[in-house]
Amino acid sequence: MSELENVSVAVSPRDKFGEYLSTRNKRLTRERELVLEQVFSSHEHFDREELVATLTARTDGRRVSRATVYRTLQELERAGLLRKVARANGRDVFEHDYGYPQHDHLICNECGKLIEFPATEISKVVAEVSAAHGFRQRGHRLEVYGMCDECCRPPEGRHPKLDMI
Amino acid sequence: MSELENVSVAVSPRDKFGEYLSTRNKRLTRERELVLEQVFSSHEHFDREELVATLTARTDGRRVSRATVYRTLQELERAGLLRKVARANGRDVFEHDYGYPQHDHLICNECGKLIEFPATEISKVVAEVSAAHGFRQRGHRLEVYGMCDECCRPPEGRHPKLDMI
DNA sequence: CTTCGTGCAAAACCTTTGCATTAAA
DNA sequence: TTTAATGCAAAGGTTTTGCACGAAG
């Protein structure tokens, strides 16, 4: 109950994952490293299929199978490195849940864009409500749906949807 | 742009659905009525499978097929009578989105319970944030996860999970 | 050695769809 | 009659799993 606590800052995703794994007698394999690397190579949102497409297409010795990608994503979620933020086209959308400020999303139903905004205000309200119910809150997910700025004014330039391709 | 507006209060789900349907040359069939009736017979949350189980099991002439249940749920969503509030066990969880005050949920990861709370505070913040981003907000969904009151104190009486059966 | 992880293909799930039949308007 | 909806079974798409083989400790 002491040295396991200081996992706060300056620990890389890789280290955090390694710690999570060793705690439960699991191994930081080459494949898990490859998934980790790909996932944390950018801050973009992604879904399983996109990641699988990238990792199974590799021709060098760095290919990772679909099954392993799926299994590793589960571990990354449990390790607190990833979280599901939304659903699009019947797929879960993932994002980093570590080393990145808490935020929520505005989701445009027209073009599918995700707009992030700081969760500060929301978190306060969530904390209050949880306390009032004796609920041990561990996190939240807020999706606001509607239509984004750009999609609101279509008769201008080209069609909004074309911007997504 | 006049008599279509007063759909506010005192209109039954059935009437609202009927109006929605007739607007687009669709029909309020016997099957759709059966689904509607079942869905609005209580305020409980439910998923597709539960509803299908009930409606396809009937032996009297009131059976509704799986395909029709799925199709009708889509219509009810579009009509503004139902909405998806969460995901559990890989299934969408539905609830009434009409004739019921706006609220959000605390979701217990231990026993699966959904605890509702008024969305008033959250809605205010959501409106502010949306305005600041020029986002035409049409609704939101907030899930707070953690552990509920009861599941926090297990060493008492029987095991919390047993209460759910 | 012993345990854990990977890759493959099959299986399991959930949801959608084509089509012939039946029911509304 | 004309158009829409139903039910079934088949197809689609995503995720999980059993198992033999390979890798890590």
Side-chain angles (χ1 to χ4, degrees):
Chain A
M1 272 234 189
S2 54
E3 59 250 285
L4 282 177
E5 230 72 308
N6 51 3
V7 198
S8 42
V9 195
V11 178
S12 73
R14 197 202 131 121
D15 289 348
K16 181 161 184 186
F17 194 34
E19 201 163 313
Y20 163 87
L21 290 170
S22 64
T23 302
R24 25 215 109 193
N25 292 314
K26 297 188 174 183
R27 298 162 186 171
L28 183 40
T29 62
R30 170 183 168 63
E31 286 79 4
R32 286 178 179 158
E33 288 193 279
L34 288 169
V35 174
L36 190 68
E37 179 196 62
Q38 183 60 36
V39 161
F40 281 88
S41 67
S42 95
H43 261 307
E44 296 303 306
H45 298 102
F46 66 93
D47 63 38
R48 292 188 183 88
E49 201 49 40
E50 291 168 359
L51 191 58
V52 166
T54 304
L55 291 171
T56 60
R58 294 183 174 170
T59 55
D60 48 355
R62 315 177 7 121
R63 185 176 173 284
V64 182
S65 75
R66 171 178 294 273
T68 295
V69 172
Y70 271 75
R71 290 189 274 233
T72 303
L73 284 177
Q74 283 191 345
E75 300 292 1
L76 288 171
E77 238 189 305
R78 295 193 187 115
L81 290 167
L82 286 182
R83 66 172 187 143
K84 295 172 186 156
V85 276
R87 255 198 148 231
N89 310 38
R91 295 175 188 166
D92 293 311
V93 179
F94 289 83
E95 74 172 9
H96 300 177
D97 190 20
Y98 182 70
Y100 201 63
Q102 277 244 34
H103 59 273
D104 291 301
H105 299 88
L106 308 177
I107 304 178
C108 179
N109 293 130
E110 208 60 39
C111 69
K113 193 177 7 176
L114 292 192
I115 303 164
E116 301 185 350
F117 64 90
T120 41
E121 300 245 31
I122 298 291
S123 295
K124 233 181 62 187
V125 179
V126 164
E128 288 167 6
V129 172
S130 299
H133 286 263
F135 188 83
R136 294 285 173 79
Q137 172 245 342
R138 279 201 326 217
H140 74 262
R141 166 165 129 182
L142 171 62
E143 302 168 17
V144 180
Y145 22 84
M147 199 182 286
C148 77
D149 206 7
E150 291 171 25
C151 291
C152 280
R153 37 177 167 74
E156 222 185 289
R158 59 162 147 282
H159 193 291
K161 291 212 172 177
L162 294 179
D163 288 324
M164 289 303 296
I165 303 175
Chain B
M1 274 233 188
S2 54
E3 60 250 284
L4 282 178
E5 230 71 307
N6 52 2
V7 197
S8 44
V9 196
V11 177
S12 73
R14 197 205 131 120
D15 288 349
K16 181 163 183 183
F17 194 35
E19 202 165 313
Y20 163 87
L21 290 171
S22 63
T23 302
R24 26 213 109 191
N25 292 312
K26 297 187 174 187
R27 297 162 187 172
L28 183 41
T29 62
R30 172 182 166 65
E31 285 80 3
R32 286 178 178 160
E33 288 193 280
L34 288 169
V35 173
L36 190 69
E37 179 196 64
Q38 183 60 35
V39 161
F40 281 87
S41 67
S42 94
H43 261 304
E44 296 304 307
H45 299 101
F46 66 93
D47 63 38
R48 292 187 183 88
E49 202 50 40
E50 291 169 358
L51 191 58
V52 166
T54 304
L55 290 171
T56 60
R58 294 181 175 171
T59 55
D60 49 354
R62 315 178 7 124
R63 186 176 172 285
V64 182
S65 74
R66 171 178 294 272
T68 295
V69 172
Y70 271 75
R71 290 190 275 234
T72 304
L73 284 176
Q74 283 192 344
E75 299 293 0
L76 288 171
E77 239 190 305
R78 294 193 187 116
L81 289 167
L82 286 182
R83 66 172 187 144
K84 295 171 186 157
V85 276
R87 252 191 154 238
N89 310 38
R91 295 174 187 166
D92 294 310
V93 179
F94 289 83
E95 75 172 8
H96 300 177
D97 190 21
Y98 182 70
Y100 202 62
Q102 277 244 34
H103 59 273
D104 291 301
H105 299 88
L106 308 177
I107 304 179
C108 179
N109 294 131
E110 209 60 39
C111 69
K113 195 179 4 176
L114 293 191
I115 303 164
E116 301 184 351
F117 65 90
T120 41
E121 300 245 32
I122 298 291
S123 295
K124 232 181 63 187
V125 179
V126 164
E128 288 167 5
V129 172
S130 299
H133 286 262
F135 187 83
R136 293 287 171 78
Q137 171 245 344
R138 281 200 327 217
H140 75 263
R141 165 166 129 180
L142 170 63
E143 303 168 16
V144 181
Y145 22 82
M147 199 182 286
C148 78
D149 207 8
E150 291 171 26
C151 292
C152 280
R153 36 177 169 74
E156 220 185 289
R158 62 162 143 281
H159 193 289
K161 290 212 174 179
L162 294 178
D163 289 323
M164 290 304 297
I165 304 175

